[in-house]
């Protein structure tokens, strides 16, 4: 009998698990740029990203840019995401854009549950679940955002908050759809503030999120990409991305500059 395998150290095993996951850097442009500026930005990203093969690049421009941007990224490895989608499939919902319409425009990902949507547009877990289900039904992978605010962090409630956000939405999707979901952990106190979670804080909560997911979905949680978001920039990306449960970043401000966005992507 050979017991050698039981004495193998942990790091090689972690490395193998890590390789199973896709590293992703996604740029959330929010309500910035005109179409012309957006096309210029994505053209620069296309040009500068040619040698990047270790990370999946995603851009999430405003709805109005989607057609023009999709033309620019055709034939490249860059994928298109929306920043939102409607919670209803179709019909009399003035001003909304459905998941079906987005899929029709080659949109492969949708940011759902961003803290700005939760806070300013009062999007509840009930609404977010409808959006996630509609995205999945139309072949779009949700980039589902979770994260605590400053009070919740200071009161040490961040674990409970993200667990609840995940339970209320992700636990309610079909088990076969779960593997299409990407999680973005974005502490609200770090978004657009210049404050970043430390790499240790990110790792701690990413590992916890994976543990919560594996409680419901078992081994499938090992292949879920969990992105960090919150004032991620070229100067801090390398350290944050070096952590075993951080599989990339959702980038706001720094994604509006092609050099910064590419430098972050090269941090892997
Ligand atoms: C975001 O809004 O998703 C985000 C991470 O923003 P920033 O990088 O600007 O903090």
């Amino acid at each position: 009998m050979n017991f050698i395998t039981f004495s193998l150290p942990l790091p090689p095993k972690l490395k193998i698990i890590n390789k199973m996951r896709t590293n992703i850097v996604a740029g959330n442009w929010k309500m910035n740029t005109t179409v012309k500026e957006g096309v210029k930005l994505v053209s620069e990203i296309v040009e500068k990203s040619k040698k990047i093969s270790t990370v999946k690049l995603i851009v999430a421009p405003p709805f109005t840019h989607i057609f023009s941007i999709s033309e620019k990224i055709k034939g490249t490895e860059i994928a298109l995401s929306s920043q939102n989608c409607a919670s209803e499939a179709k019909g009399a919902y003035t001003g909304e854009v459905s998941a079906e319409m987005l899929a029709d425009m080659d949109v492969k990902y949708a940011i759902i549950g961003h803290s700005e949507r939760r806070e300013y547009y009062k999007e509840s877990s009930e609404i977010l679940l409808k959006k996630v289900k509609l995205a999945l039904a139309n072949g779009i992978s949700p980039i589902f955002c979770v994260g605590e605010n400053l009070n919740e962090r200071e009161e040490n409630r961040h674990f409970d908050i993200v667990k609840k956000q995940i339970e209320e939405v992700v636990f309610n999707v079909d088990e076969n759809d779960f593997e299409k979901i990407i999680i973005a952990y974005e502490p609200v106190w770090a978004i657009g503030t210049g404050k970043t979670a430390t790499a240790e804080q990110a790792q701690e909560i990413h590992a916890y999120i994976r543990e919560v997911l594996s409680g419901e979905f078992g081994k499938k949680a090992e292949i879920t990409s969990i992105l960090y978001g919150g004032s991620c920039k070229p100067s801090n990306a390398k350290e944050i991305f070096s952590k075993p449960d951080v599989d990339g970043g959702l980038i706001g401000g720094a994604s509006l500059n092609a050099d910064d966005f590419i430098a972050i992507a090269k941090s892997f």
Side-chain angles (χ1 to χ4, degrees), residues 28 30 111 114-116 145 186 190-195 228-232 250-255:
N28 175 12
K30 311 194 186 190
I111 298 171
H114 191 283
S115 61
E116 287 152 17
C145 304
E186 300 206 300
I191 296 179
T193 58
K195 286 184 195 153
Y228 169 79
S231 299
C232 194
L250 180 55
I251 319 298
S255 72

PDB file of all heavy atoms in Angstrom, residues 28 30 111 114-116 145 186 190-195 228-232 250-255, ligand 1:
ATOM      1  N   ASN A  28     -16.125  47.673 -16.447  1.00  0.00           N
ATOM      2  CA  ASN A  28     -17.469  48.245 -16.316  1.00  0.00           C
ATOM      3  C   ASN A  28     -17.362  49.746 -16.600  1.00  0.00           C
ATOM      4  O   ASN A  28     -16.910  50.512 -15.748  1.00  0.00           O
ATOM      5  CB  ASN A  28     -17.987  47.989 -14.892  1.00  0.00           C
ATOM      6  CG  ASN A  28     -19.322  48.655 -14.633  1.00  0.00           C
ATOM      7  OD1 ASN A  28     -19.986  49.129 -15.555  1.00  0.00           O
ATOM      8  ND2 ASN A  28     -19.718  48.695 -13.367  1.00  0.00           N
ATOM      9  N   LYS A  30     -19.681  51.870 -16.933  1.00  0.00           N
ATOM     10  CA  LYS A  30     -20.763  52.649 -16.299  1.00  0.00           C
ATOM     11  C   LYS A  30     -21.343  53.661 -17.306  1.00  0.00           C
ATOM     12  O   LYS A  30     -21.367  53.381 -18.495  1.00  0.00           O
ATOM     13  CB  LYS A  30     -20.282  53.324 -15.015  1.00  0.00           C
ATOM     14  CG  LYS A  30     -19.550  52.352 -14.091  1.00  0.00           C
ATOM     15  CD  LYS A  30     -19.364  52.886 -12.718  1.00  0.00           C
ATOM     16  CE  LYS A  30     -18.505  51.931 -11.916  1.00  0.00           C
ATOM     17  NZ  LYS A  30     -18.453  52.240 -10.513  1.00  0.00           N
ATOM     18  N   ILE A 111     -23.657  42.202 -16.291  1.00  0.00           N
ATOM     19  CA  ILE A 111     -23.407  42.535 -14.882  1.00  0.00           C
ATOM     20  C   ILE A 111     -24.777  42.659 -14.222  1.00  0.00           C
ATOM     21  O   ILE A 111     -25.632  43.421 -14.693  1.00  0.00           O
ATOM     22  CB  ILE A 111     -22.619  43.856 -14.755  1.00  0.00           C
ATOM     23  CG1 ILE A 111     -21.239  43.733 -15.434  1.00  0.00           C
ATOM     24  CG2 ILE A 111     -22.465  44.258 -13.295  1.00  0.00           C
ATOM     25  CD1 ILE A 111     -20.471  45.066 -15.546  1.00  0.00           C
ATOM     26  N   HIS A 114     -25.068  44.970  -9.480  1.00  0.00           N
ATOM     27  CA  HIS A 114     -24.035  45.944  -9.100  1.00  0.00           C
ATOM     28  C   HIS A 114     -24.582  46.790  -7.951  1.00  0.00           C
ATOM     29  O   HIS A 114     -25.770  47.119  -7.914  1.00  0.00           O
ATOM     30  CB  HIS A 114     -23.666  46.815 -10.304  1.00  0.00           C
ATOM     31  CG  HIS A 114     -22.441  47.633 -10.052  1.00  0.00           C
ATOM     32  ND1 HIS A 114     -22.469  48.774  -9.286  1.00  0.00           N
ATOM     33  CD2 HIS A 114     -21.152  47.457 -10.436  1.00  0.00           C
ATOM     34  CE1 HIS A 114     -21.232  49.273  -9.210  1.00  0.00           C
ATOM     35  NE2 HIS A 114     -20.424  48.494  -9.905  1.00  0.00           N
ATOM     36  N   SER A 115     -23.710  47.179  -7.032  1.00  0.00           N
ATOM     37  CA  SER A 115     -24.189  47.915  -5.841  1.00  0.00           C
ATOM     38  C   SER A 115     -24.867  49.231  -6.227  1.00  0.00           C
ATOM     39  O   SER A 115     -25.762  49.695  -5.518  1.00  0.00           O
ATOM     40  CB  SER A 115     -23.041  48.171  -4.876  1.00  0.00           C
ATOM     41  OG  SER A 115     -22.064  48.955  -5.505  1.00  0.00           O
ATOM     42  N   GLU A 116     -24.454  49.825  -7.370  1.00  0.00           N
ATOM     43  CA  GLU A 116     -25.119  51.069  -7.793  1.00  0.00           C
ATOM     44  C   GLU A 116     -26.561  50.788  -8.196  1.00  0.00           C
ATOM     45  O   GLU A 116     -27.453  51.612  -7.981  1.00  0.00           O
ATOM     46  CB  GLU A 116     -24.314  51.717  -8.934  1.00  0.00           C
ATOM     47  CG  GLU A 116     -23.029  52.340  -8.398  1.00  0.00           C
ATOM     48  CD  GLU A 116     -21.882  52.407  -9.397  1.00  0.00           C
ATOM     49  OE1 GLU A 116     -22.125  52.279 -10.611  1.00  0.00           O
ATOM     50  OE2 GLU A 116     -20.732  52.587  -8.947  1.00  0.00           O
ATOM     51  N   CYS A 145     -22.931  40.491  -8.822  1.00  0.00           N
ATOM     52  CA  CYS A 145     -22.144  41.261  -7.851  1.00  0.00           C
ATOM     53  C   CYS A 145     -22.699  41.143  -6.439  1.00  0.00           C
ATOM     54  O   CYS A 145     -23.917  41.231  -6.228  1.00  0.00           O
ATOM     55  CB  CYS A 145     -22.136  42.741  -8.227  1.00  0.00           C
ATOM     56  SG  CYS A 145     -21.536  43.065  -9.880  1.00  0.00           S
ATOM     57  N   GLU A 186     -17.553  42.861  -4.602  1.00  0.00           N
ATOM     58  CA  GLU A 186     -17.218  44.287  -4.663  1.00  0.00           C
ATOM     59  C   GLU A 186     -17.638  44.967  -3.364  1.00  0.00           C
ATOM     60  O   GLU A 186     -18.815  45.315  -3.185  1.00  0.00           O
ATOM     61  CB  GLU A 186     -17.961  44.945  -5.828  1.00  0.00           C
ATOM     62  CG  GLU A 186     -17.630  44.361  -7.179  1.00  0.00           C
ATOM     63  CD  GLU A 186     -17.859  45.380  -8.288  1.00  0.00           C
ATOM     64  OE1 GLU A 186     -19.002  45.842  -8.444  1.00  0.00           O
ATOM     65  OE2 GLU A 186     -16.897  45.719  -8.968  1.00  0.00           O
ATOM     66  N   ALA A 190     -15.229  50.286  -1.302  1.00  0.00           N
ATOM     67  CA  ALA A 190     -14.017  50.368  -2.144  1.00  0.00           C
ATOM     68  C   ALA A 190     -14.338  50.804  -3.573  1.00  0.00           C
ATOM     69  O   ALA A 190     -13.430  51.061  -4.352  1.00  0.00           O
ATOM     70  CB  ALA A 190     -13.313  49.017  -2.159  1.00  0.00           C
ATOM     71  N   ILE A 191     -15.630  50.895  -3.907  1.00  0.00           N
ATOM     72  CA  ILE A 191     -15.983  51.211  -5.296  1.00  0.00           C
ATOM     73  C   ILE A 191     -15.873  52.703  -5.553  1.00  0.00           C
ATOM     74  O   ILE A 191     -16.570  53.508  -4.922  1.00  0.00           O
ATOM     75  CB  ILE A 191     -17.409  50.708  -5.642  1.00  0.00           C
ATOM     76  CG1 ILE A 191     -17.448  49.184  -5.555  1.00  0.00           C
ATOM     77  CG2 ILE A 191     -17.833  51.181  -7.027  1.00  0.00           C
ATOM     78  CD1 ILE A 191     -18.807  48.579  -5.842  1.00  0.00           C
ATOM     79  N   GLY A 192     -14.962  53.056  -6.455  1.00  0.00           N
ATOM     80  CA  GLY A 192     -14.798  54.456  -6.857  1.00  0.00           C
ATOM     81  C   GLY A 192     -14.282  55.352  -5.750  1.00  0.00           C
ATOM     82  O   GLY A 192     -14.338  56.575  -5.857  1.00  0.00           O
ATOM     83  N   THR A 193     -13.776  54.781  -4.663  1.00  0.00           N
ATOM     84  CA  THR A 193     -13.347  55.589  -3.525  1.00  0.00           C
ATOM     85  C   THR A 193     -11.833  55.712  -3.442  1.00  0.00           C
ATOM     86  O   THR A 193     -11.310  56.515  -2.668  1.00  0.00           O
ATOM     87  CB  THR A 193     -13.822  54.937  -2.203  1.00  0.00           C
ATOM     88  OG1 THR A 193     -13.268  53.611  -2.151  1.00  0.00           O
ATOM     89  CG2 THR A 193     -15.331  54.867  -2.113  1.00  0.00           C
ATOM     90  N   GLY A 194     -11.131  54.877  -4.216  1.00  0.00           N
ATOM     91  CA  GLY A 194      -9.670  54.859  -4.101  1.00  0.00           C
ATOM     92  C   GLY A 194      -9.219  53.921  -2.985  1.00  0.00           C
ATOM     93  O   GLY A 194      -8.052  53.578  -2.873  1.00  0.00           O
ATOM     94  N   LYS A 195     -10.179  53.505  -2.128  1.00  0.00           N
ATOM     95  CA  LYS A 195      -9.828  52.540  -1.062  1.00  0.00           C
ATOM     96  C   LYS A 195      -9.952  51.143  -1.641  1.00  0.00           C
ATOM     97  O   LYS A 195     -10.935  50.836  -2.305  1.00  0.00           O
ATOM     98  CB  LYS A 195     -10.823  52.627   0.095  1.00  0.00           C
ATOM     99  CG  LYS A 195     -10.671  53.823   0.959  1.00  0.00           C
ATOM    100  CD  LYS A 195     -11.665  53.722   2.118  1.00  0.00           C
ATOM    101  CE  LYS A 195     -11.798  55.064   2.796  1.00  0.00           C
ATOM    102  NZ  LYS A 195     -13.096  55.228   3.428  1.00  0.00           N
ATOM    103  N   TYR A 228     -12.605  40.224  -8.083  1.00  0.00           N
ATOM    104  CA  TYR A 228     -12.595  41.295  -7.090  1.00  0.00           C
ATOM    105  C   TYR A 228     -12.875  42.625  -7.792  1.00  0.00           C
ATOM    106  O   TYR A 228     -12.353  42.889  -8.881  1.00  0.00           O
ATOM    107  CB  TYR A 228     -11.231  41.385  -6.371  1.00  0.00           C
ATOM    108  CG  TYR A 228     -11.156  42.653  -5.570  1.00  0.00           C
ATOM    109  CD1 TYR A 228     -11.796  42.741  -4.328  1.00  0.00           C
ATOM    110  CD2 TYR A 228     -10.543  43.795  -6.085  1.00  0.00           C
ATOM    111  CE1 TYR A 228     -11.807  43.938  -3.630  1.00  0.00           C
ATOM    112  CE2 TYR A 228     -10.549  44.995  -5.391  1.00  0.00           C
ATOM    113  CZ  TYR A 228     -11.190  45.049  -4.159  1.00  0.00           C
ATOM    114  OH  TYR A 228     -11.224  46.235  -3.471  1.00  0.00           O
ATOM    115  N   GLY A 229     -13.674  43.475  -7.182  1.00  0.00           N
ATOM    116  CA  GLY A 229     -13.909  44.812  -7.726  1.00  0.00           C
ATOM    117  C   GLY A 229     -13.894  45.848  -6.628  1.00  0.00           C
ATOM    118  O   GLY A 229     -14.471  45.634  -5.548  1.00  0.00           O
ATOM    119  N   GLY A 230     -13.275  46.987  -6.907  1.00  0.00           N
ATOM    120  CA  GLY A 230     -13.237  48.080  -5.933  1.00  0.00           C
ATOM    121  C   GLY A 230     -11.881  48.753  -5.988  1.00  0.00           C
ATOM    122  O   GLY A 230     -10.926  48.276  -5.372  1.00  0.00           O
ATOM    123  N   SER A 231     -11.804  49.839  -6.807  1.00  0.00           N
ATOM    124  CA  SER A 231     -10.567  50.614  -6.942  1.00  0.00           C
ATOM    125  C   SER A 231      -9.360  49.746  -7.313  1.00  0.00           C
ATOM    126  O   SER A 231      -8.247  49.979  -6.832  1.00  0.00           O
ATOM    127  CB  SER A 231     -10.297  51.424  -5.672  1.00  0.00           C
ATOM    128  OG  SER A 231     -11.360  52.331  -5.457  1.00  0.00           O
ATOM    129  N   CYS A 232      -9.607  48.760  -8.160  1.00  0.00           N
ATOM    130  CA  CYS A 232      -8.508  47.929  -8.657  1.00  0.00           C
ATOM    131  C   CYS A 232      -7.767  48.737  -9.729  1.00  0.00           C
ATOM    132  O   CYS A 232      -8.401  49.343 -10.600  1.00  0.00           O
ATOM    133  CB  CYS A 232      -9.099  46.645  -9.223  1.00  0.00           C
ATOM    134  SG  CYS A 232      -7.877  45.386  -9.500  1.00  0.00           S
ATOM    135  N   LEU A 250     -13.321  42.977 -11.610  1.00  0.00           N
ATOM    136  CA  LEU A 250     -14.323  43.816 -12.280  1.00  0.00           C
ATOM    137  C   LEU A 250     -13.833  45.240 -12.047  1.00  0.00           C
ATOM    138  O   LEU A 250     -13.730  45.694 -10.899  1.00  0.00           O
ATOM    139  CB  LEU A 250     -15.714  43.581 -11.688  1.00  0.00           C
ATOM    140  CG  LEU A 250     -16.858  44.403 -12.300  1.00  0.00           C
ATOM    141  CD1 LEU A 250     -16.950  44.234 -13.810  1.00  0.00           C
ATOM    142  CD2 LEU A 250     -18.202  43.991 -11.676  1.00  0.00           C
ATOM    143  N   ILE A 251     -13.508  45.909 -13.141  1.00  0.00           N
ATOM    144  CA  ILE A 251     -12.784  47.174 -13.050  1.00  0.00           C
ATOM    145  C   ILE A 251     -13.681  48.326 -13.494  1.00  0.00           C
ATOM    146  O   ILE A 251     -14.211  48.287 -14.613  1.00  0.00           O
ATOM    147  CB  ILE A 251     -11.528  47.151 -13.972  1.00  0.00           C
ATOM    148  CG1 ILE A 251     -10.787  45.788 -13.908  1.00  0.00           C
ATOM    149  CG2 ILE A 251     -10.593  48.315 -13.672  1.00  0.00           C
ATOM    150  CD1 ILE A 251     -10.240  45.410 -12.562  1.00  0.00           C
ATOM    151  N   GLY A 252     -13.835  49.330 -12.651  1.00  0.00           N
ATOM    152  CA  GLY A 252     -14.635  50.497 -13.023  1.00  0.00           C
ATOM    153  C   GLY A 252     -13.754  51.574 -13.636  1.00  0.00           C
ATOM    154  O   GLY A 252     -13.372  51.502 -14.804  1.00  0.00           O
ATOM    155  N   GLY A 253     -13.387  52.569 -12.831  1.00  0.00           N
ATOM    156  CA  GLY A 253     -12.643  53.737 -13.306  1.00  0.00           C
ATOM    157  C   GLY A 253     -11.449  53.400 -14.198  1.00  0.00           C
ATOM    158  O   GLY A 253     -11.272  53.991 -15.270  1.00  0.00           O
ATOM    159  N   ALA A 254     -10.636  52.438 -13.772  1.00  0.00           N
ATOM    160  CA  ALA A 254      -9.396  52.142 -14.521  1.00  0.00           C
ATOM    161  C   ALA A 254      -9.671  51.473 -15.865  1.00  0.00           C
ATOM    162  O   ALA A 254      -8.774  51.387 -16.701  1.00  0.00           O
ATOM    163  CB  ALA A 254      -8.473  51.271 -13.669  1.00  0.00           C
ATOM    164  N   SER A 255     -10.910  51.031 -16.094  1.00  0.00           N
ATOM    165  CA  SER A 255     -11.198  50.379 -17.387  1.00  0.00           C
ATOM    166  C   SER A 255     -11.448  51.415 -18.483  1.00  0.00           C
ATOM    167  O   SER A 255     -11.587  51.069 -19.654  1.00  0.00           O
ATOM    168  CB  SER A 255     -12.403  49.436 -17.269  1.00  0.00           C
ATOM    169  OG  SER A 255     -13.611  50.161 -17.129  1.00  0.00           O
TER     170      SER A 255
HETATM  171  C1  LIG B   1     -17.236  48.898 -10.182  1.00  0.00           C
HETATM  172  O1  LIG B   1     -18.043  49.812 -10.156  1.00  0.00           O
HETATM  173  O2  LIG B   1     -17.585  47.763 -10.571  1.00  0.00           O
HETATM  174  C2  LIG B   1     -15.874  49.175  -9.737  1.00  0.00           C
HETATM  175  C3  LIG B   1     -15.132  48.192  -9.330  1.00  0.00           C
HETATM  176  O3  LIG B   1     -15.499  50.500  -9.786  1.00  0.00           O
HETATM  177  P1  LIG B   1     -14.039  51.095  -9.444  1.00  0.00           P
HETATM  178  O4  LIG B   1     -13.010  50.177 -10.062  1.00  0.00           O
HETATM  179  O5  LIG B   1     -14.028  52.451 -10.081  1.00  0.00           O
HETATM  180  O6  LIG B   1     -13.922  51.133  -7.970  1.00  0.00           O
END
